[in-house]
Amino acid sequence: MPATPPLPPATGAWREGDPPGRRAWHQAEAPLLLESGRRLPGVRIAYETFGRPAPDRSNAVLVLHALTGDSHLAGPAGPGHRAPGWWDALTGPGRPLDTDHWFLVVPNVLGGCQGTTGPASPGPGGRPWGPDFPRITVRDQVAAELLLADALGIDRWAAVIGGSMGGMRALEWAVGHPQRTGALLVLAASAAADQIGWSAAQTAAIRADRGWQGGRYHDAAPGEGPHLGLGAARRIAHLTYRAGPELDARFGRAAQPGEDPAAGGRHQVESYLDHHADKLTRRFDAGSYLTLSAAMNSHDVGRDRGGTAAALARYRGPALIAGITSDRLYPLSQQRELAHALPGAGPLAAIDSPHGHDGFLVETDRVGRLVRRLLGRALADHPATPGP
């Protein structure tokens, strides 16, 4: 008989005293001025690097993760890292993100929960910020990443690469800081948030959990945090990350082996969603989920910039825009708009995949070819000095 898994922790966030893993940190010297006008004190940014910087830092590439990702781009799970690298297959010597040539910098996003300041981090007075963590935007997240770039002596990224929420931040880098953005690769993202309704259902599920406790749950015992709400949010989200035909082909109406849905058992698709929900509750924080969802909802590159077309026209560097043909969260039409409006973008790269939005993580061979193409354009426009 299989062992009963341990109860989920109150938060899956990385916390002081946990193994650092591959992380390094940058501590900001001054409070970060947010778009709201508030100042966020004590900002600390966790990041990982892969490869070696050239003396002039011309080979630095910024790689930006999606909603529940983190700085662990590559490498196995282990102390400090509850999951293996999310683009491990793309990263390393001779791979598309070639660490023999490029210096990759991968920060955990502001508001996240894997070492960068967010709701689970100590706030003023030492207790977790919880619901007092300020509302932030994608532009605030890029402002924090700008501090990291300055600290690392990187005046200009050879390329900025991101998918989904990472693609939103990549666009903000290009539009807000075009002089510091070399080549640009945006995968499965849009010019403005279009997932607000889905996000509302997910955040409502978290807030409805009795373990949410108004956001002050971080010191609760295992099993007493908002894991049920966070798990429900993940189930909703996962149905948008994968394509309907794929789920039908994989599971259909089949029962989970050994279970009878007519007698209270589960269908296979329910078991699949349960599995992903349980995994997330053990490596993520419910407060960060709300904070990052709200930041994504703020995304609009055209806001206060004269509209989308005018904003995108600010960036004239080489760009590659890609989408997934079966993506129902960020449909291909949204990437087509970006490819059309960015002066330096070529034709839209459509990745034909049954895997839906998650195709930018799953289709590593096809995404790898796009990364090679993008970095080739970066070299052609501005030859980088290889790392030592």
Side-chain angles (χ1 to χ4, degrees):
M1 188 172 183
T4 302
L7 292 170
T11 175
W14 185 94
R15 306 183 82 175
E16 291 296 333
D18 290 345
R22 293 191 79 261
R23 295 175 185 82
W25 280 270
H26 169 63
Q27 180 73 53
E29 295 180 0
L32 178 66
L33 178 62
L34 304 176
E35 268 202 281
S36 64
R38 287 189 61 178
R39 293 183 182 274
L40 179 61
V43 170
R44 190 169 73 153
I45 304 166
Y47 65 98
E48 295 179 47
T49 63
F50 303 82
R52 305 178 100 183
D56 62 358
R57 303 298 194 266
S58 61
N59 67 335
V61 173
L62 181 64
V63 184
L64 302 172
H65 66 77
L67 172 62
T68 60
D70 55 34
S71 63
H72 199 46
L73 178 71
H81 301 294
R82 293 186 177 93
W86 49 274
W87 257 359
D88 188 77
L90 269 63
T91 307
R95 293 179 178 177
L97 291 168
D98 188 349
T99 51
D100 282 343
H101 189 92
W102 301 105
F103 175 56
L104 312 177
V105 179
V106 191
N108 184 215
V109 70
L110 181 69
C113 63
Q114 290 301 316
T116 292
T117 301
S121 304
R127 293 184 60 80
W129 274 98
D132 297 327
F133 191 78
R135 188 179 183 90
I136 59 172
T137 67
V138 170
R139 295 183 192 181
D140 294 329
Q141 294 169 333
V142 169
E145 291 161 1
L146 192 68
L147 297 178
L148 176 61
D150 289 344
L152 295 175
I154 299 168
D155 296 326
R156 179 183 179 276
W157 299 104
V160 179
I161 297 172
S164 193
M165 185 185 77
M168 296 178 179
R169 287 147 62 204
L171 278 172
E172 273 297 329
W173 265 99
V175 170
H177 307 280
Q179 75 284 0
R180 300 190 68 163
T181 306
L184 175 70
L185 173 57
V186 175
L187 296 143
S190 62
D194 191 41
Q195 80 300 327
I196 296 172
W198 285 112
S199 175
Q202 295 165 49
T203 56
I206 292 172
R207 291 194 174 100
D209 188 333
R210 66 172 182 82
W212 171 243
Q213 299 179 46
R216 302 194 186 280
Y217 58 85
H218 290 91
D219 296 325
E224 296 298 320
H227 64 278
L228 296 176
L230 181 57
R234 182 61 164 185
R235 290 176 179 88
I236 296 168
H238 207 74
L239 289 173
T240 71
Y241 297 158
R242 310 302 288 220
E246 179 205 13
L247 295 177
D248 288 343
R250 289 176 65 181
F251 305 116
R253 295 183 50 80
Q256 180 69 2
E259 299 187 30
D260 180 4
R266 298 171 299 172
H267 292 88
Q268 286 185 8
V269 70
E270 293 176 277
S271 174
Y272 169 76
L273 294 174
D274 289 347
H275 169 71
H276 284 281
D278 181 69
K279 282 205 309 183
L280 188 73
T281 61
R282 299 177 189 278
R283 67 170 185 85
F284 212 75
D285 178 66
S288 276
Y289 201 97
L290 266 63
T291 293
L292 298 183
S293 295
M296 291 174 70
N297 290 347
S298 78
H299 173 61
D300 181 355
V301 295
R303 175 167 47 84
D304 300 327
R305 291 168 173 156
T308 298
L312 293 174
R314 294 179 173 199
Y315 175 74
R316 311 191 78 82
L320 182 55
I321 308 299
I324 313 298
T325 55
S326 57
D327 191 342
R328 54 182 170 182
L329 184 61
Y330 292 101
L332 208 58
S333 59
Q334 297 177 352
Q335 290 89 57
R336 189 171 291 113
E337 176 190 15
L338 288 173
H340 177 75
L342 279 165
L348 172 68
I351 299 173
D352 188 12
S353 169
H355 298 299
H357 184 68
D358 271 358
F360 83 94
L361 295 170
V362 176
E363 301 286 359
T364 52
D365 286 346
R366 299 178 195 183
V367 171
R369 288 195 288 271
L370 297 179
V371 170
R372 288 188 192 277
R373 188 197 312 174
L374 186 279
L375 293 179
R377 292 182 67 183
L379 277 176
D381 278 33
H382 294 275
T385 303

